[in-house]
Amino acid sequence: MSSTPEIHVRDLYKSFGDNEVLRGIDLEVGQGEVVCVIGPSGSGKSTLLRCVNLLEEPTKGQVLVGGTEVTHPDVDIDAVRRRIGMVFQQFNLFPHLSVTENLTLPQRRVLRRGKEEAARIAAENLRRVGLSEKADAYPASLSGGQQQRVAIARALAMGPEVMLFDEPTSALDPELVGDVLAVMRMLADEGMTMMVVTHEMTFAREVADRVVFMDGGVIVEDGTPAQVIGNPSHERTRHFLSRLLDPAMADVEETEKGP
């Protein structure tokens, strides 16, 4: 892993009206590094991720990807986004197109690849995610886990330098989560730079180089999985992990406290 930051976030703020969602975020992700971002709902995790490729425009601060300032007013954001793959909670596949067509359409329209080249790259990436046999299928015939793996393959077909994952398994039935995480683990092993917003603590513990815990729009802890998950230094982190890892006990505690 190189020490050169592939993603560099500097003093980032984001407000929606009077609601300040991000409050001075500083974060670096090195080339080939896997950073998992964890935290409670409303902590700003997804907003941070969306600011990296300017799906949300920051109120203040800078974001650089591969040395290019995404937040510069004169940036060619389309050129930057070609280097960033993003996978959402929902799969966002075109229902009227086959799996192969879902992968070739953005290649041909955005990257101007020819039909044969786009089809070859689509086939290669379907193989990578274990879905070669589904090339001619339509999204409605696939399970949620298979659709999410197609969405990952579609992002990979664009040749990104960075992959952003926003709770990629949260919409899946529990038995389908493993196949998606296995694909993400493969990408990590291949050296893909990844930012992953997730509640999958086993994945974060085993695959992440670093874990970032966010709460209230700030980074509370940033360290190795052993530090942040195994031995958190902040009470806010400990409380979040206790609720996540033992939700029944957290509910009892909340009930005992009363309204």
Side-chain angles (χ1 to χ4, degrees):
M1 181 181 67
S2 169
S3 60
T4 304
E6 187 67 30
I7 301 172
H8 195 170
V9 178
R10 299 172 178 166
D11 196 30
L12 193 70
Y13 288 78
K14 175 62 181 178
S15 297
F16 296 97
D18 295 331
N19 183 21
E20 195 171 49
V21 178
L22 299 177
R23 300 188 288 128
I25 299 291
D26 290 297
L27 180 66
E28 291 186 3
V29 180
Q31 291 179 359
E33 193 172 26
V34 179
V35 174
C36 284
V37 184
I38 65 173
S41 297
S43 60
K45 309 182 301 295
S46 293
T47 300
L48 171 60
L49 207 67
R50 293 170 67 87
C51 283
V52 170
N53 63 358
L54 222 62
L55 290 178
E56 295 289 355
E57 188 168 346
T59 305
K60 175 187 172 186
Q62 291 180 305
V63 177
L64 292 90
V65 177
T68 300
E69 185 185 343
V70 177
T71 45
H72 192 282
D74 296 328
V75 72
D76 182 349
I77 190 58
D78 291 333
V80 174
R81 284 180 179 150
R82 290 185 198 117
R83 298 157 55 187
I84 305 172
M86 186 151 184
V87 178
F88 300 89
Q89 296 178 29
Q90 303 301 325
F91 323 122
N92 299 323
L93 301 177
F94 293 112
H96 63 292
L97 298 181
S98 71
V99 165
T100 293
E101 289 167 339
N102 266 281
L103 269 66
T104 56
L105 181 64
Q107 293 184 67
R108 298 182 66 186
R109 288 196 174 175
V110 177
L111 301 181
R112 303 300 181 188
R113 286 175 178 159
K115 183 176 181 179
E116 290 186 3
E117 182 185 15
R120 176 182 59 79
I121 292 171
E124 169 61 20
N125 283 287
L126 286 175
R127 183 195 62 76
R128 291 174 75 191
V129 302
L131 289 175
S132 294
E133 76 282 2
K134 299 295 184 181
D136 297 324
Y138 284 81
S141 69
L142 305 180
S143 70
Q146 289 172 333
Q147 290 188 62
Q148 190 62 293
R149 285 151 64 195
V150 170
I152 294 172
R154 178 180 58 186
L156 292 174
M158 303 297 284
E161 299 167 15
V162 173
M163 287 287 286
L164 308 177
F165 293 87
D166 187 8
E167 294 279 13
T169 60
S170 65
L172 302 180
D173 292 333
E175 67 270 20
L176 303 177
V177 168
D179 290 340
V180 173
L181 294 181
V183 170
M184 295 169 64
R185 189 186 301 263
M186 173 199 72
L187 295 178
D189 290 342
E190 291 176 356
M192 177 66 73
T193 305
M194 298 164 61
M195 272 186 74
V196 184
V197 172
T198 186
H199 282 100
E200 300 289 344
M201 290 301 105
T202 300
F203 177 85
R205 189 189 296 270
E206 295 178 356
V207 179
D209 296 295
R210 286 178 24 238
V211 175
V212 172
F213 172 67
M214 290 183 63
D215 193 15
V218 301
I219 292 176
V220 178
E221 291 201 52
D222 179 350
T224 66
Q227 291 168 334
V228 177
I229 299 175
N231 188 28
S233 59
H234 289 262
E235 177 58 33
R236 289 159 79 183
T237 315
R238 289 193 290 270
H239 181 66
F240 168 76
L241 290 171
S242 69
R243 290 174 61 87
L244 186 66
L245 300 174
D246 192 358
M249 183 59 67
D251 289 342
V252 169
E253 290 173 357
E254 291 299 317
T255 301
E256 289 175 349
K257 290 176 184 177

